[in-house]
Amino acid sequence: MSQPGGPLSQLRRGHEELVLGLLRKHGPLSRGELGRRCGLSRTTLYDILAELVAGGAVVTASERETPRGRGRPAETLTLNPDAGQAIGIDFARRGLHVAAINLAHEIVGSASEPHDADLPWEQRVELAGRLVGSLTGGTLSLGALSAIGVGVVGPVGDPVGDPVGDPVGDPVGDPAVDPAVDPDRGPEEDGAGEPAGPHPAQVLLRERFGVPVLLDNNTRLAALGEAIWGAAAGVQDVLYLRLSHGVGGGLVVGGSLHRGAYGLSGEFGHITVDQDGARCDCGGTGCLETIASIRAVLDAYRAAGGRAGDVPELAKAARAGDAAALAVLDGAGAGIGGVLAALCNAIGPSVIVVGGELAETGSSLMDPIERELRAHVMPISRHRVSLRRATLGEVAGALGGIALVLHESPLLSRYPAGPELAEDPPTTQSGRRPAKENP
Amino acid sequence: MSQPGGPLSQLRRGHEELVLGLLRKHGPLSRGELGRRCGLSRTTLYDILAELVAGGAVVTASERETPRGRGRPAETLTLNPDAGQAIGIDFARRGLHVAAINLAHEIVGSASEPHDADLPWEQRVELAGRLVGSLTGGTLSLGALSAIGVGVVGPVGDPVGDPVGDPVGDPVGDPAVDPAVDPDRGPEEDGAGEPAGPHPAQVLLRERFGVPVLLDNNTRLAALGEAIWGAAAGVQDVLYLRLSHGVGGGLVVGGSLHRGAYGLSGEFGHITVDQDGARCDCGGTGCLETIASIRAVLDAYRAAGGRAGDVPELAKAARAGDAAALAVLDGAGAGIGGVLAALCNAIGPSVIVVGGELAETGSSLMDPIERELRAHVMPISRHRVSLRRATLGEVAGALGGIALVLHESPLLSRYPAGPELAEDPPTTQSGRRPAKENP
């Protein structure tokens, strides 16, 4: 057999995509018609078709009537209209977000539910199941579910945690997260070294849904979501910064999520902005997070004599012209803009997306960010990079989970029409969005 | 016809690579043997073979004896031993570097020649021709040259500046550099906007050699060279920093050169390190380049009472324990290490390579860089990222030019054995290296 990722394996996947693309474009085709169009030998084509039929992506006319009723005697093959559905789940720190797409890659709905930060994984997955059920009432057949893409808090290595093939039974395969790192605590010193097992969300979701479960950091997934469906839809090189209880982000490079060598990219919140600054939870000093997280900004506002219990109150004060609120947001924005300028010079994105609850403070924060970005980015880039606020709200991570399935799973070949994704903005079934992002 | 980059075009390229890989691995094969091994239909295989033979990548046994002399009556096909050669040229600011590989992707030689910074392009290309000739005396047949990869100073957008096909005659196709940006001046404000024509090096080299000429920024190419043949050979995620007359660098992401949306990535030298610092040539203030370029470091040393006309003298003073030299290098190293830590948190490379003449000062500079890097990178990354000095010297950019041809040109399919590249360290024919990098 060929090695995964080797030229023969890639070639085979290319063959699968070609066959699926032809069925998608032309509708039902006989084996002979497929053979003439794809240029593959009879042996190769029949092998590929057998695998696609066994995997449920393609059905023969004897299993399902051909829609056009051409009345040919030869058996025809067609895409399975019940396959190709996917769900994205964002297990954020204090809440759960789910989104689902149908065969046409249309987002059929999304839903969110807050919960305590210490809710056990069993109950989180139970809650996820209920939310998915609420989405799939009339529009999705759970039996046709192909894969689930999941976002979690904290560092994640290889996103594909689950081999394809027999969708039920086997224990989850590849490790995808370092168990020494508590996924609810974010980055911290790890003494344990290498990853040693699957994430609990993967194990429990696979038990419940019986399908492959792909996993990545939820902030990185939000970056991917914004680059496909959101503020940077269709843009190939995107830098996404999330200003929330923590400060983090993600990079989309050439249209793909960038992870870095150890799954540790996008940790913009732990870039030093003040060597003499405050101690950070990561163990560092003067990290961006110490001046630009929700807590940091609210603390600074209170220290300046302001009164605000949360971000909406701070935003309200800023809109009302409260000098202390404006000064605090200006200071945070300046620090953020300086970091973004440095990253721009290094990485060269065309769009920077700023999301998270703090971005809801609007121009009081975005204007100083933009000012410092333009002041410190190389002059040649100054008028090229675009700064935008995130648009997907709190479901960005769940949508990114779906994108993970579409882009990166071995099931990719079941979804040959990725680029169409950007055309359909998400609809909301639960009515909870737009609201805060990934709380 | 299928669109370039579309699934059908990709599939065809996959077929080509498969066929070439089989010929590479098994030696001469008949069409029947090839068909059985590759799984393609007779029609598809014959189409592909016809194109490969027409393009010169494959020859039939009637044109060339089969080395093994199997004596079969059926015509066999084999890789063309005269094809697949490539040259890399680095048009640095004050010198020229060339390198060449043969069909086996072995580097057959490299050569360098300094020149004045204002040498006209016609004379640079003339000089390049002479150096290439000196390399190809006994080992390369210029008639078999497949492509040239070229590095130039300054921002470069799309690297592929030259369509393949008829290798002689047509004017150069796609624009690859913004002519509003003087390639010898580096980044600066550009009012002219979009690229409007090929780089003079591309036009002149194509006239002289009659083959496609691919172009990119020479510092980015040095990054690619170090990631394939040098200090980070075989590493997928590499950050390369060059400390020379200018300060710049490049990113290798997932094994490929990262360019950024407008070809403006890797401008590490223009990251602000001191908002109250010196004015930079880029128009900014307090850029890394204002504290870490050769001139900046030598000026700081002289300001501290030291006497050094160039980097070797400064290095000698540092090795002798000169306190001012050590303090100056420590200060520059601290600034560099801080920037590298920020970039590590954002991008997540596994190896950082530091090159350029200043790196020749050794541990007096590398130690403070490492100290500040470890101090400011996220604790979770602290023991994962590796800091290394560049090993390719001044020919890194020329080797990167070859890598550009191997990795990214439409000729890629003529070079199916990329991963083998790392095994053969470059040999020097001119005897000039190792010396300074890209002066």
Side-chain angles (χ1 to χ4, degrees):
Chain A
M1 281 300 292
S2 60
Q3 288 185 311
L8 282 169
S9 156
Q10 282 173 26
L11 192 77
R12 185 167 183 95
R13 189 155 137 186
H15 290 160
E16 283 191 5
E17 286 180 29
L18 181 67
V19 168
L20 290 165
L22 289 169
L23 291 175
R24 188 173 182 82
K25 184 171 178 190
H26 298 287
L29 294 172
S30 71
R31 286 179 166 80
E33 287 168 328
L34 266 173
R36 279 189 293 279
R37 288 174 189 275
C38 69
L40 299 172
S41 75
R42 189 182 166 91
T43 313
T44 305
L45 175 62
Y46 278 40
D47 274 359
I48 299 238
L49 285 174
E51 192 166 297
L52 289 173
V53 169
V58 167
V59 292
T60 59
S62 60
E63 291 171 52
R64 177 168 290 272
E65 292 295 312
T66 67
R68 299 190 197 158
R70 295 181 189 173
R72 288 190 190 165
E75 183 182 67
T76 59
L77 295 125
T78 180
L79 291 179
N80 183 353
D82 291 332
Q85 299 173 340
I87 287 172
I89 306 175
D90 179 359
F91 290 102
R93 210 180 292 269
R94 295 176 188 81
L96 201 65
H97 314 281
V98 304
I101 58 163
N102 64 15
L103 174 70
H105 302 165
E106 295 158 349
I107 296 167
V108 296
S110 62
S112 296
E113 186 84 30
H115 60 65
D116 289 344
D118 59 358
L119 190 71
W121 278 108
E122 288 75 10
Q123 293 180 42
R124 292 188 189 207
V125 169
E126 183 63 33
L127 180 56
R130 285 208 304 277
L131 286 180
V132 167
S134 77
L135 289 184
T136 55
T139 51
L140 269 189
S141 154
L142 268 184
L145 192 65
S146 296
I148 300 177
V150 168
V152 296
V153 177
V156 173
D158 187 339
V160 178
D162 208 320
V164 192
D166 174 14
V168 197
D170 288 340
V172 177
D174 303 330
V177 71
D178 188 337
V181 180
D182 179 340
D184 270 353
R185 289 201 195 285
E188 57 191 339
E189 187 79 54
D190 75 319
E194 295 310 301
H199 191 282
Q202 277 180 302
V203 178
L204 294 165
L205 284 168
R206 185 173 170 113
E207 278 174 16
R208 184 179 182 102
F209 292 101
V211 294
V213 178
L214 311 186
L215 189 100
D216 208 327
N217 171 275
N218 63 347
T219 305
R220 279 207 298 249
L221 289 185
L224 190 58
E226 291 286 350
I228 293 177
W229 286 283
V235 178
Q236 294 290 297
D237 291 281
V238 180
L239 190 157
Y240 169 79
L241 176 71
R242 188 171 69 99
L243 304 168
S244 181
H245 298 286
V247 173
L251 296 168
V252 173
V253 168
S256 296
L257 191 57
H258 171 62
R259 292 196 173 77
Y262 308 108
L264 292 172
S265 71
E267 294 289 357
F268 308 141
H270 301 289
I271 292 175
T272 307
V273 292
D274 178 7
Q275 297 216 20
D276 306 316
R279 191 83 183 161
C280 179
D281 291 342
C282 81
T285 301
C287 297
L288 180 62
E289 190 166 293
T290 67
I291 68 156
S293 71
I294 290 175
R295 191 181 71 192
V297 170
L298 288 177
D299 283 354
Y301 182 52
R302 291 180 199 124
R307 293 170 64 105
D310 58 16
V311 174
E313 289 179 20
L314 175 66
K316 193 175 164 189
R319 276 195 304 273
D322 179 295
L326 290 171
V328 162
L329 290 171
D330 193 275
I336 295 163
V339 166
L340 291 178
L343 297 177
C344 250
N345 288 339
I347 301 163
S350 57
V351 175
I352 295 174
V353 177
V354 179
E357 295 93 319
L358 266 187
E360 308 288 328
T361 56
S363 60
S364 309
L365 182 69
M366 295 298 286
D367 287 354
I369 291 177
E370 180 134 25
R371 183 190 70 222
E372 294 300 310
L373 168 64
R374 307 280 176 223
H376 292 291
V377 79
M378 270 203 315
I380 197 175
S381 300
R382 196 170 286 155
H383 303 292
R384 292 182 162 164
V385 65
S386 160
L387 180 70
R388 302 178 188 170
R389 270 178 61 188
T391 61
L392 294 181
E394 63 184 357
V395 296
L399 292 174
I402 292 176
L404 190 66
V405 173
L406 298 181
H407 281 202
E408 309 207 358
S409 91
L411 293 164
L412 176 67
S413 58
R414 275 69 173 162
Y415 301 87
E420 292 173 17
L421 291 170
E423 294 169 16
D424 298 295
T427 59
T428 306
Q429 184 160 314
S430 70
R432 286 181 193 272
R433 67 169 287 275
K436 295 173 292 180
E437 225 185 4
N438 304 327
Chain B
M1 280 302 292
S2 60
Q3 290 183 310
L8 282 169
S9 155
Q10 282 174 25
L11 191 77
R12 185 165 184 97
R13 191 154 136 185
H15 290 160
E16 283 190 5
E17 285 181 28
L18 181 65
V19 169
L20 290 165
L22 289 170
L23 291 175
R24 186 173 184 82
K25 186 171 177 189
H26 298 287
L29 293 172
S30 70
R31 285 179 167 78
E33 287 169 328
L34 266 173
R36 278 189 293 281
R37 288 174 190 275
C38 70
L40 299 171
S41 76
R42 189 183 167 90
T43 313
T44 305
L45 176 62
Y46 278 40
D47 275 359
I48 296 218
L49 286 174
E51 193 166 296
L52 289 173
V53 169
V58 167
V59 292
T60 58
S62 60
E63 292 172 52
R64 179 167 288 272
E65 291 296 312
T66 66
R68 299 190 198 156
R70 295 181 188 174
R72 289 191 189 166
E75 185 182 67
T76 60
L77 296 125
T78 181
L79 291 179
N80 183 354
D82 290 333
Q85 299 173 341
I87 287 171
I89 306 175
D90 179 359
F91 289 102
R93 208 180 293 269
R94 295 178 188 81
L96 201 66
H97 313 281
V98 304
I101 59 163
N102 64 14
L103 173 70
H105 301 164
E106 295 158 348
I107 296 168
V108 296
S110 62
S112 296
E113 186 84 31
H115 60 64
D116 288 344
D118 59 358
L119 191 71
W121 278 107
E122 287 75 10
Q123 292 179 44
R124 291 187 190 209
V125 169
E126 182 64 33
L127 179 56
R130 284 208 305 275
L131 286 181
V132 167
S134 78
L135 289 184
T136 54
T139 50
L140 268 188
S141 154
L142 268 186
L145 191 65
S146 295
I148 300 177
V150 168
V152 295
V153 176
V156 173
D158 186 343
V160 179
D162 208 320
V164 191
D166 174 14
V168 198
D170 288 339
V172 177
D174 304 328
V177 73
D178 188 336
V181 180
D182 179 339
D184 270 354
R185 289 201 194 286
E188 58 191 339
E189 187 80 53
D190 75 319
E194 295 310 302
H199 191 282
Q202 276 180 302
V203 179
L204 294 166
L205 284 169
R206 186 174 169 111
E207 278 175 15
R208 183 180 183 102
F209 292 100
V211 294
V213 178
L214 310 187
L215 188 100
D216 207 327
N217 170 275
N218 64 346
T219 306
R220 280 206 299 248
L221 289 185
L224 190 58
E226 292 285 350
I228 293 178
W229 285 283
V235 177
Q236 295 289 297
D237 291 281
V238 180
L239 191 158
Y240 169 79
L241 176 71
R242 188 170 68 99
L243 303 168
S244 181
H245 298 287
V247 173
L251 295 169
V252 173
V253 168
S256 297
L257 192 56
H258 172 62
R259 295 197 171 77
Y262 308 109
L264 293 172
S265 71
E267 293 289 357
F268 308 142
H270 300 289
I271 293 175
T272 307
V273 292
D274 179 5
Q275 297 217 18
D276 306 315
R279 189 85 182 160
C280 179
D281 290 342
C282 80
T285 300
C287 298
L288 180 63
E289 189 166 294
T290 66
I291 68 156
S293 71
I294 290 175
R295 191 180 70 193
V297 170
L298 288 177
D299 283 354
Y301 182 52
R302 291 179 200 125
R307 294 170 64 104
D310 57 18
V311 174
E313 288 178 21
L314 175 66
K316 192 175 166 190
R319 275 196 303 275
D322 179 297
L326 291 171
V328 161
L329 290 171
D330 193 276
I336 295 163
V339 166
L340 291 178
L343 297 177
C344 251
N345 289 339
I347 301 163
S350 57
V351 174
I352 296 174
V353 176
V354 179
E357 293 92 318
L358 266 187
E360 308 289 327
T361 56
S363 60
S364 308
L365 182 70
M366 295 298 285
D367 287 353
I369 291 177
E370 179 133 26
R371 183 190 69 222
E372 295 299 309
L373 168 63
R374 306 279 177 225
H376 292 290
V377 78
M378 271 203 313
I380 196 174
S381 300
R382 197 169 286 155
H383 304 292
R384 291 182 163 165
V385 66
S386 160
L387 180 70
R388 302 178 188 169
R389 272 178 60 188
T391 61
L392 295 182
E394 63 184 359
V395 296
L399 291 174
I402 292 176
L404 190 68
V405 173
L406 298 181
H407 281 203
E408 310 205 359
S409 91
L411 293 164
L412 177 68
S413 58
R414 274 69 173 162
Y415 301 87
E420 293 175 17
L421 292 169
E423 294 169 16
D424 298 296
T427 59
T428 306
Q429 184 159 314
S430 70
R432 286 182 194 273
R433 71 169 282 275
K436 292 176 291 182
E437 226 185 1
N438 304 328

